[in-house]
Amino acid sequence: MFLLPASVVIGLPPYASFRLGDLVLSIRTIGGASALLIAALLLICAVSLWSRPQYRVAAGVTALLVSLIALVSSNLGGFLVGTVLGLIGGALALSWTPPAAGERDRDQEDGPGSSRTRAIGITALFVGALVVVPAASPSASTTAAPSGRVWVLTASVLRLTGLQYHGVGTTRVGGATVEVLKFTASRIDITSLVQVSELIDGHLGKITAPPGSVSTATGHPIELLTLRLKGTLSLLGLIGLPVDFTPARPPPLVLPSLTFTDVTVVNTDLKHARLAIPDAKITVT
């Protein structure tokens, strides 16, 4: 709501002309190209926040940075108005968190005390005649088929190809409903695989691959339900970024191909996958 007018206020003046009687004023500066770029970035951030709120951290940080850059590169940030609107929008994006499961259920009711009603009232207060009703992301509350068991995968290297993140869903584990991260991938390569799972009779089953060996999972696509993904995210093989993704702390941005090292993954289900483990050793304790 704030980033949309910010993009207009910053991007419009360098290309607009204003008429005062017989006098035509045109603000033509060298900041025209930068203003257009900043306005486009703010517009992309606004659309991203509206349609894909799970990427709010990346969009919020981008909005804050480009709003500050506009101060020195685009007519003082749209005469300060655009920068102020952009900073407010970016700060709100970073401060917002998804509602808890119980709150989401209550929000299904459109009573006078629901958060949707409050959101419409606040929007009407700021925008006046413009009333915006946010549409829920289709991937925000999907439900997966229950598996009932949790299994833990550790590996020295985990490479995910054709990866897509589908938001936070729910599944049944041990008779309780838990939130999980939903991913799909076309291929998973696992180096030095160790997989531990609880069996039906209470024993633990452990599958171990030889150190340095690469196990592969393929499918069209593989569906992965994850409680936690902890490890070091390798950026271009040069930079290692520690990450710890859970449903409460989902990934802000997911690329089509990611590589993790020293990784531990807690999963509840792996669907449509063909897993090949070379020289696997299976033990039950």
Side-chain angles (χ1 to χ4, degrees):
M1 185 179 67
F2 286 96
L3 295 185
L4 285 174
S7 66
V8 175
V9 172
I10 292 176
L12 181 61
Y15 300 94
S17 297
F18 305 92
R19 179 177 294 275
L20 297 176
D22 295 332
L23 180 64
V24 177
L25 299 178
S26 180
I27 306 176
R28 308 284 183 181
T29 68
I30 59 175
S34 61
L36 181 62
L37 177 60
I38 290 173
L41 289 173
L42 288 174
L43 180 60
I44 292 171
C45 291
V47 173
S48 173
L49 289 170
W50 210 271
S51 60
R52 291 292 183 269
Q54 61 265 33
Y55 302 136
R56 63 191 180 280
V57 175
V61 171
T62 302
L64 290 174
L65 291 177
V66 298
S67 297
L68 292 174
I69 293 173
L71 280 174
V72 296
S73 63
S74 177
N75 298 319
L76 203 60
F79 310 107
L80 292 180
V81 176
T83 291
V84 171
L85 290 174
L87 292 176
I88 293 175
L92 289 174
L94 293 177
S95 63
W96 179 83
T97 56
E103 295 177 0
R104 284 200 296 266
D105 294 337
R106 290 194 297 270
D107 282 349
Q108 299 300 321
E109 303 174 0
D110 290 331
S114 68
S115 60
R116 174 173 293 186
T117 304
R118 294 194 298 270
I120 294 176
I122 294 172
T123 304
L125 178 64
F126 281 100
V127 187
L130 179 62
V131 178
V132 182
V133 182
S137 172
S139 62
S141 63
T142 54
T143 302
S147 66
R149 299 288 170 182
V150 172
W151 48 279
V152 180
L153 169 72
T154 58
S156 59
V157 180
L158 176 68
R159 181 174 293 105
L160 302 163
T161 305
L163 182 65
Q164 292 186 12
Y165 172 57
H166 300 280
V168 177
T170 59
T171 189
R172 300 282 294 178
V173 174
T177 300
V178 298
E179 290 189 329
V180 291
L181 302 172
K182 288 195 64 178
F183 298 95
T184 57
S186 59
R187 181 183 176 94
I188 303 175
D189 295 289
I190 310 163
T191 303
S192 303
L193 173 146
V194 177
Q195 180 176 303
V196 179
S197 59
E198 182 181 352
L199 305 180
I200 297 177
D201 56 3
H203 290 82
L204 292 179
K206 184 177 182 180
I207 303 176
T208 306
S213 65
V214 178
S215 305
T216 59
T218 55
H220 300 286
I222 303 167
E223 295 183 18
L224 188 62
L225 305 183
T226 302
L227 288 170
R228 186 178 187 183
L229 193 159
K230 181 180 181 180
T232 302
L233 176 61
S234 177
L235 301 177
L236 303 177
L238 302 175
I239 302 175
L241 179 65
V243 297
D244 190 356
F245 298 140
T246 65
R249 300 185 300 274
L253 181 64
V254 173
L255 300 177
S257 180
L258 292 178
T259 300
F260 299 89
T261 59
D262 300 323
V263 64
T264 299
V265 187
V266 183
N267 296 312
T268 66
D269 214 343
L270 183 67
K271 300 180 180 179
H272 313 302
R274 181 180 178 87
L275 181 60
I277 304 175
D279 300 324
K281 179 183 179 181
I282 301 176
T283 57
V284 176
T285 58

